[in-house]
Amino acid sequence: MEPKKRKLLAARPREGDGKSGVCAEPGPGAEQEPEPRQHQREEGPVSSVYFNTAKVAHGRLPSGFFNRPCVALAKEFLGQVMVRKFPDGSEVKGRIVETEAYLGGEDQASHSRGGRQTPRNAAMFMNPGTMYVYQIYGVYYCLNVSSQGDGAAVLLRSLEPLQGLDAMRQLRSKRRKETGKPLKDHELCNGPSKLCQAFDITRTFDRGDLATGTEIWMEPGPEIINGADVVSTSRIGIGYAGEWVGKPLRFYIKGNKCVSVVDRKAEKVNE
């Protein structure tokens, strides 16, 4: 595992709604920093609502999996399974189908742009696999995972629900402003804030380690995602980021119904 990343920096976030952006959102006031979490895991089969019914390989993704450059990690996340275990022992699971890479430093869309560091974005400078959870609009949360490189992290944008869909629906309904028709399966986790609601991920998980966590961890996905199945396109909700607006740092699985925003033009280019 990479040695602990150097000192902390500050960034001014700027995320949009549940479908928008990554490390970019107008930051609400400073929040109390949680203590790092220690974790464990459980194993079991996962059935995809949309794809195949193959079983997840036993074991969790180790620390070495996260120790890679930001763009490479953003792509490798596609197809992997995120697991959330609740206090009552029940679990929800979802396959990662969309990510965004935030490179830190010169990346004007990143919370750590220019090497800025604060207690709020400290996780972006910690060991690869550290969770960076931040709040937008004082209400919603987004989950990022640190990678190699000071201030570099990957935003998890969308998941394909696999297990515990009823629990996800109940958690989402508690936070929804609109009423009416119940959420469809593919709408449960199709956005960075939506997946945090569905998995009940809050600021308390900030700085937690995905490689050792007992409440949130990742497992190998049931199928390998080929490069031809990955679409590379621009990130969402970063109109303020100058020349970085159009850089192809968002990645998603082509044809997956759970992707938050589909880019048909980019899909043709990627063919």
Side-chain angles (χ1 to χ4, degrees):
M1 179 181 287
E2 177 180 90
K4 193 152 188 171
K5 297 183 183 178
R6 57 185 185 201
K7 38 178 188 171
L8 320 170
L9 305 173
R12 187 184 316 160
R14 184 192 281 260
E15 240 282 39
D17 53 31
K19 292 183 85 171
S20 137
V22 159
C23 293
E25 141 278 328
E31 298 161 319
Q32 299 230 345
E33 299 296 335
E35 293 298 321
R37 292 172 171 256
Q38 301 298 320
H39 307 356
Q40 224 174 24
R41 74 144 267 182
E42 290 195 1
E43 305 167 344
V46 175
S47 294
S48 167
V49 177
Y50 303 106
F51 295 142
N52 60 47
T53 56
K55 292 185 177 181
V56 173
H58 287 295
R60 63 191 299 158
L61 295 178
S63 58
F65 173 88
F66 305 98
N67 190 15
R68 63 185 81 205
C70 192
V71 171
L73 183 60
K75 293 179 180 179
E76 289 296 327
F77 271 147
L78 297 177
Q80 311 303 339
V81 175
M82 190 164 80
V83 183
R84 168 75 161 98
K85 184 174 183 178
F86 298 114
D88 65 1
S90 63
E91 296 178 354
V92 294
K93 300 186 180 185
R95 180 177 300 134
I96 301 170
V97 299
E98 183 181 4
T99 62
E100 289 181 346
Y102 286 81
L103 310 183
E106 62 179 350
D107 186 347
Q108 292 302 304
S110 177
H111 286 181
S112 59
R113 57 190 177 276
R116 288 179 289 182
Q117 178 179 311
T118 63
R120 184 175 185 248
N121 71 351
M124 299 181 77
F125 298 87
M126 299 175 81
N127 291 332
T130 301
M131 289 182 281
Y132 170 41
V133 182
Y134 65 89
Q135 194 171 33
I136 57 174
Y137 302 131
V139 179
Y140 304 111
Y141 294 94
C142 294
L143 172 62
N144 303 260
V145 182
S146 66
S147 65
Q148 285 182 5
D150 284 340
V154 176
L155 173 76
L156 302 186
R157 275 200 62 88
S158 298
L159 303 177
E160 173 200 350
L162 298 176
Q163 178 177 311
L165 276 66
D166 288 341
M168 294 183 197
R169 191 168 282 106
Q170 291 176 7
L171 287 164
R172 283 290 317 281
S173 65
K174 292 179 181 178
R175 307 300 298 274
R176 292 178 71 201
K177 293 181 179 179
E178 68 273 19
T179 57
K181 295 182 179 179
L183 290 168
K184 297 179 180 179
D185 291 352
H186 71 270
E187 297 173 324
L188 292 172
C189 305
N190 64 336
S193 295
K194 294 177 182 178
L195 71 86
C196 283
Q197 290 176 14
F199 277 60
D200 196 24
I201 295 172
T202 66
R203 184 75 170 160
T204 60
F205 288 98
D206 187 53
R207 304 191 194 184
D209 184 1
L210 281 172
T212 59
T214 56
E215 296 173 78
I216 299 180
W217 63 86
M218 288 188 186
E219 298 175 344
E223 58 184 10
I224 296 175
I225 304 301
N226 297 316
D229 298 323
V230 177
V231 178
S232 302
T233 184
S234 56
R235 295 171 291 185
I236 305 297
I238 59 166
Y240 57 88
E243 64 181 83
W244 288 83
V245 170
K247 292 189 180 295
L249 294 173
R250 178 165 69 99
F251 310 98
Y252 67 82
I253 299 176
K254 185 176 181 179
N256 191 286
K257 195 174 182 180
C258 301
V259 171
S260 66
V261 180
V262 172
D263 188 331
R264 299 299 183 192
K265 184 176 180 180
E267 289 184 0
K268 291 181 179 179
V269 172
N270 281 265
E271 287 178 351

